[in-house]
Each structure stands twice: as structure tokens, then as C-alpha cells.
Amino acid sequence: MENLSLDVSLSLHTTFHTGGNAKYFFSVSSVEQLKEAVLFSRAKALPFFVLGGGSNLLVSDDGFFGVVIKINIVGIEWKNVSDSSVEVLMGAGENWDYVVGLSVERALSGFENLSGIPGTVGATPVQNIGAYGSEIKDTISLVEVFDTSEMVVKTLRLQDMAFGYRDSIFKNPEGKKYIIVRVGCILQKNAKPNISYKDLTAFFAKNNIAQPSVNDVRNAVLEIRRAKLPDLNMYGTAGSFFKNPIVSGEVFETLKEKFPLIVSFDTSLGQKKISAAWILDNICGFKGYRAGNVGVYQNQSLVLVNFGEGTSREIKNLADEMKACVKKNTGIDISEEIVMLGF
Ligand code: EPU
């Protein structure tokens, strides 16, 4: 099989630039090749791991003794579905921000707040990517998956995928049998962009833009991200390392008494999503903290960085130290947003 390589360093396939080797590494550009890779892992009785852009992933320094399947399935189709909307169907291996750029060039609304997020299209539904007031689930019409239990392609609809905050069926046991091959989203032709997220509202007020276009929103998001998040060309990073914890109203009130300035967001069911970055910064003092070759980014304390020579072990140790501090001061267990492989 010409698309199979042996002992491939996963540090070349993760944006942290750390991690050991994958024993077997398939690069697949069609459903047929995907099927071959899955059958290969079965024949070897080894687990497989599906890789997109590696931008939300920490691989152990010992690597992964199994089959990594890198999805390179491409193709983008635009379909007019009504006077006001267009459906875009995207191969899972397409670069996410490239497609966002194309949608904005067409003045279509839906993706602009999700500008600048690294990684591939196929990864976007898995953790229901979200930023600046939008989530991918707000646009999704369908996801085509390869069902590895029946070895056929199936189409899942929005209601089948149990989307939540950084969560979906694909992260849970019942969805582990699915490998995403194509994603369909509905974009709007004449919609008013959503600039309700604090940073966006402030940006347009400051720049005196009353009615921003989708292109204005994309540019604003890219500028805000540049100011807050590390440049992937300069540092190893996977963006937010932890999720923002969601707590009951009661727990929140107790925290608020102790920490009156704590930042939170309302969610449905009366729960509160608490800013983990705020806790890590203001209570634990981790912003800009450095531990050897790794550290916490100077402008965003949810973001861990590898300054060049760091290892996954160092990143994991720092993350554990951060979790312990949050637990000790607030009683909250924060959990990883990123995926860990081989630990
Ligand atoms: N804050 C601090 N200290 C910091 C950073 C932030 O006190 O070091 C406070 C600020 O008050 C700020 C608030 O925390 O207003 C929220 O910060 P921010 O707007 O940066 O958002 P976040 O909750 O930390 C989430 C996503 C990001 C996404 C931003 C913007 C998660 C886990 N992270 O971060 O997503 O870009 O909102 O929408 O939900 C990612 O998933 O990799 C990611 C970068």
C-alpha cells in the first residue's frame, strides 16, 4: 500500500510539535482508502486513531502503537438551496480556514466568527468548534460518516449528533465507530453578522463601524485572535488546552462571594459557564508562566505553548499543575479540551 508509512513521527503532524512515532501511518484521500486502512488495523488487531490537522492534539512522547489514519479527503461543492441560503459540502480533509475564506469571499454568513481556527473541516463537528459567539453546530446540515461497524457511508443529520459545548456524539462511546468524511453546512446570503460577543462589539464600536459586513467580521476576528493567541508559526500550541467549566447556579454564587470579579457566561438550564482563563490568570497567576521549554501564553492563560524544545511530558506536567491549582482554590475539576493520544 503506497499510502502506508511506518514509524512516522507525530511531532510532524501536531501543532504542538511534540510526540513520538505512529507505528503505522495511512494518508487516505478517498472512502475506499479509508476502508483499507480500517481493515488493516483490524487485521493487525490494533486500534486506529483518526488525524486531521493535529491542532487540538497532544501525543505522548512514547508515540502510538497503532494505526494513525490521516484524512486527506478533499472537494468543496456549493449548492443554492433557496433565495437566501447556500449549502456547502466540504471534504473532511479540507483546511477549515481556507473554506471560511471562500465563504466570506462569496459574502455568505455563518462561518465568519470561526475565522482563523487551525485544523481541518472533519475535526470541526467533533468538538463543535466555537469562537466569538458562534459554533459550527449553528450551520451544520449534515455530516457524512464512514461507519466502521457496518463498513458503509451514512449521513447524519443535525439532531443525530448531540452537539453541546465542545461536545458531540463523535467524542462519546456511541459515536466512536464513525469517521467523518464530509461536512455540509447552510450559509446565509443576506444575514446580519453576529457581533454580540464582547470583543467584537468593542472592536466595531472602537472602529466606528455600525453595520459590519461578513468580511469586516472575519478581519476583526483575525485581528483579535492575533492579539490574544500565539502565532502557530512561532510556537507549538493547540489553542485552548482546557474547556471552560460549567457549574450550577448555587456553586457559582459561592464562588462569586469569594471571587467577586470572576467572569462567567449564562447557559441554558440556569447553569453558568465560568472562564477558566480568568481563574488561571487571576487566582493562580499562570499567565506568562514558564516551566522550562513550555509555558502558558502571555496573553491567554488557557493556552499552553511549546517554546521549541519542549516535550509532551513537560506540557502534560504543566497542565496537571494548572488543574491542581484550580481544584485547590475553587473546588472545580477543569477538563482538557484537547485530545490526548498514547498516554
Ligand atoms: N481572561 C482572563 N485572563 C486570560 C484570558 C482571559 O482573565 O488570560 C478573561 C477575560 O476577562 C475574558 C474572558 O476571560 O473576557 C474570556 O476570554 P476569551 O474571550 O479569550 O475566551 P475564553 O473563554 O478564554 C473561548 C474559547 C476559545 C475562543 C474564545 C473566543 C474555550 C475553551 N475556548 O476562550 O477557543 O477563541 O472563547 O470566543 O471555549 C480553542 O477552542 O482552542 C479556542 C481558542
Side-chain angles (χ1 to χ4, degrees), residues 277-290 296 301 325 329:
W278 189 89
I279 297 173
L280 288 164
D281 178 3
N282 297 280
I283 302 179
C284 294
F286 271 117
K287 194 188 256 181
Y289 174 81
R290 190 162 173 157
V296 179
S301 35
C325 179
N329 286 282

Short mmCIF file of all heavy atoms in Angstrom, two decimals, residues 277-290 296 301 325 329:
data_model
loop_
_atom_site.label_atom_id
_atom_site.label_comp_id
_atom_site.label_asym_id
_atom_site.label_seq_id
_atom_site.Cartn_x
_atom_site.Cartn_y
_atom_site.Cartn_z
N ALA A 277 -9.84 30.66 31.93
CA ALA A 277 -8.70 31.56 31.72
C ALA A 277 -8.62 32.59 32.85
O ALA A 277 -7.54 32.89 33.35
CB ALA A 277 -8.82 32.26 30.37
N TRP A 278 -9.78 33.09 33.26
CA TRP A 278 -9.80 34.10 34.34
C TRP A 278 -9.25 33.51 35.63
O TRP A 278 -8.44 34.12 36.32
CB TRP A 278 -11.23 34.64 34.55
CG TRP A 278 -11.25 35.81 35.49
CD1 TRP A 278 -11.11 37.13 35.16
CD2 TRP A 278 -11.35 35.77 36.92
NE1 TRP A 278 -11.12 37.90 36.29
CE2 TRP A 278 -11.28 37.10 37.39
CE3 TRP A 278 -11.51 34.73 37.85
CZ2 TRP A 278 -11.35 37.42 38.75
CZ3 TRP A 278 -11.58 35.05 39.20
CH2 TRP A 278 -11.50 36.39 39.65
N ILE A 279 -9.70 32.30 35.96
CA ILE A 279 -9.23 31.65 37.20
C ILE A 279 -7.72 31.42 37.11
O ILE A 279 -6.97 31.74 38.04
CB ILE A 279 -9.96 30.30 37.41
CG1 ILE A 279 -11.46 30.53 37.60
CG2 ILE A 279 -9.37 29.55 38.62
CD1 ILE A 279 -12.29 29.26 37.66
N LEU A 280 -7.27 30.87 35.99
CA LEU A 280 -5.85 30.53 35.83
C LEU A 280 -4.98 31.78 35.89
O LEU A 280 -3.85 31.75 36.38
CB LEU A 280 -5.62 29.79 34.50
CG LEU A 280 -6.16 28.35 34.49
CD1 LEU A 280 -6.27 27.82 33.07
CD2 LEU A 280 -5.26 27.44 35.34
N ASP A 281 -5.54 32.87 35.40
CA ASP A 281 -4.81 34.14 35.38
C ASP A 281 -4.89 34.82 36.75
O ASP A 281 -3.88 35.03 37.42
CB ASP A 281 -5.44 35.00 34.27
CG ASP A 281 -4.82 36.38 34.14
OD1 ASP A 281 -3.86 36.67 34.86
OD2 ASP A 281 -5.32 37.18 33.31
N ASN A 282 -6.10 35.12 37.19
CA ASN A 282 -6.28 35.98 38.36
C ASN A 282 -6.15 35.28 39.70
O ASN A 282 -5.80 35.91 40.70
CB ASN A 282 -7.63 36.69 38.27
CG ASN A 282 -7.69 37.59 37.05
OD1 ASN A 282 -7.16 38.69 37.07
ND2 ASN A 282 -8.26 37.10 35.96
N ILE A 283 -6.47 34.00 39.75
CA ILE A 283 -6.34 33.30 41.04
C ILE A 283 -5.01 32.55 41.10
O ILE A 283 -4.31 32.59 42.10
CB ILE A 283 -7.52 32.31 41.26
CG1 ILE A 283 -8.86 33.08 41.21
CG2 ILE A 283 -7.37 31.59 42.60
CD1 ILE A 283 -10.09 32.21 41.39
N CYS A 284 -4.65 31.89 40.00
CA CYS A 284 -3.45 31.05 40.02
C CYS A 284 -2.20 31.75 39.49
O CYS A 284 -1.09 31.23 39.66
CB CYS A 284 -3.71 29.77 39.24
SG CYS A 284 -4.95 28.71 40.02
N GLY A 285 -2.37 32.87 38.81
CA GLY A 285 -1.21 33.63 38.33
C GLY A 285 -0.40 32.92 37.26
O GLY A 285 0.82 33.10 37.17
N PHE A 286 -1.07 32.14 36.41
CA PHE A 286 -0.34 31.36 35.41
C PHE A 286 -0.04 32.12 34.11
O PHE A 286 0.73 31.64 33.28
CB PHE A 286 -1.11 30.08 35.05
CG PHE A 286 -0.76 28.91 35.93
CD1 PHE A 286 -1.72 28.31 36.73
CD2 PHE A 286 0.53 28.40 35.95
CE1 PHE A 286 -1.41 27.22 37.54
CE2 PHE A 286 0.86 27.31 36.75
CZ PHE A 286 -0.12 26.73 37.55
N LYS A 287 -0.66 33.26 33.90
CA LYS A 287 -0.45 33.94 32.61
C LYS A 287 1.04 34.27 32.44
O LYS A 287 1.66 34.87 33.33
CB LYS A 287 -1.27 35.23 32.56
CG LYS A 287 -1.37 35.81 31.16
CD LYS A 287 -2.03 37.19 31.18
CE LYS A 287 -3.44 37.13 30.69
NZ LYS A 287 -4.08 38.46 30.68
N GLY A 288 1.62 33.84 31.33
CA GLY A 288 3.03 34.10 31.06
C GLY A 288 4.00 33.23 31.87
O GLY A 288 5.21 33.40 31.76
N TYR A 289 3.47 32.28 32.65
CA TYR A 289 4.32 31.40 33.47
C TYR A 289 5.14 30.49 32.56
O TYR A 289 4.65 30.01 31.54
CB TYR A 289 3.40 30.58 34.37
CG TYR A 289 4.03 29.49 35.20
CD1 TYR A 289 4.67 29.78 36.39
CD2 TYR A 289 3.94 28.15 34.80
CE1 TYR A 289 5.21 28.76 37.17
CE2 TYR A 289 4.48 27.13 35.58
CZ TYR A 289 5.11 27.45 36.76
OH TYR A 289 5.64 26.44 37.52
N ARG A 290 6.40 30.27 32.94
CA ARG A 290 7.24 29.40 32.12
C ARG A 290 7.81 28.26 32.95
O ARG A 290 8.27 28.49 34.08
CB ARG A 290 8.35 30.23 31.49
CG ARG A 290 9.10 29.46 30.43
CD ARG A 290 9.89 30.35 29.51
NE ARG A 290 10.68 29.46 28.65
CZ ARG A 290 11.16 29.76 27.48
NH1 ARG A 290 10.96 30.95 26.98
NH2 ARG A 290 11.85 28.88 26.78
N VAL A 296 2.73 29.01 29.70
CA VAL A 296 1.36 29.49 29.49
C VAL A 296 1.48 30.79 28.69
O VAL A 296 2.30 31.66 29.03
CB VAL A 296 0.67 29.75 30.84
CG1 VAL A 296 -0.74 30.28 30.65
CG2 VAL A 296 0.66 28.47 31.68
N SER A 301 -4.37 32.68 29.28
CA SER A 301 -3.88 31.63 30.17
C SER A 301 -4.53 30.27 29.98
O SER A 301 -4.21 29.33 30.70
CB SER A 301 -3.95 32.09 31.63
OG SER A 301 -5.05 32.89 31.84
N CYS A 325 -4.12 23.58 40.73
CA CYS A 325 -4.31 24.91 41.32
C CYS A 325 -5.79 25.31 41.28
O CYS A 325 -6.32 25.85 42.26
CB CYS A 325 -3.45 25.95 40.58
SG CYS A 325 -3.70 27.59 41.29
N ASN A 329 -8.17 25.94 44.69
CA ASN A 329 -8.74 27.26 45.01
C ASN A 329 -10.24 27.36 44.81
O ASN A 329 -10.89 28.21 45.42
CB ASN A 329 -8.05 28.34 44.19
CG ASN A 329 -6.65 28.61 44.71
OD1 ASN A 329 -6.50 29.30 45.71
ND2 ASN A 329 -5.65 28.02 44.06
#
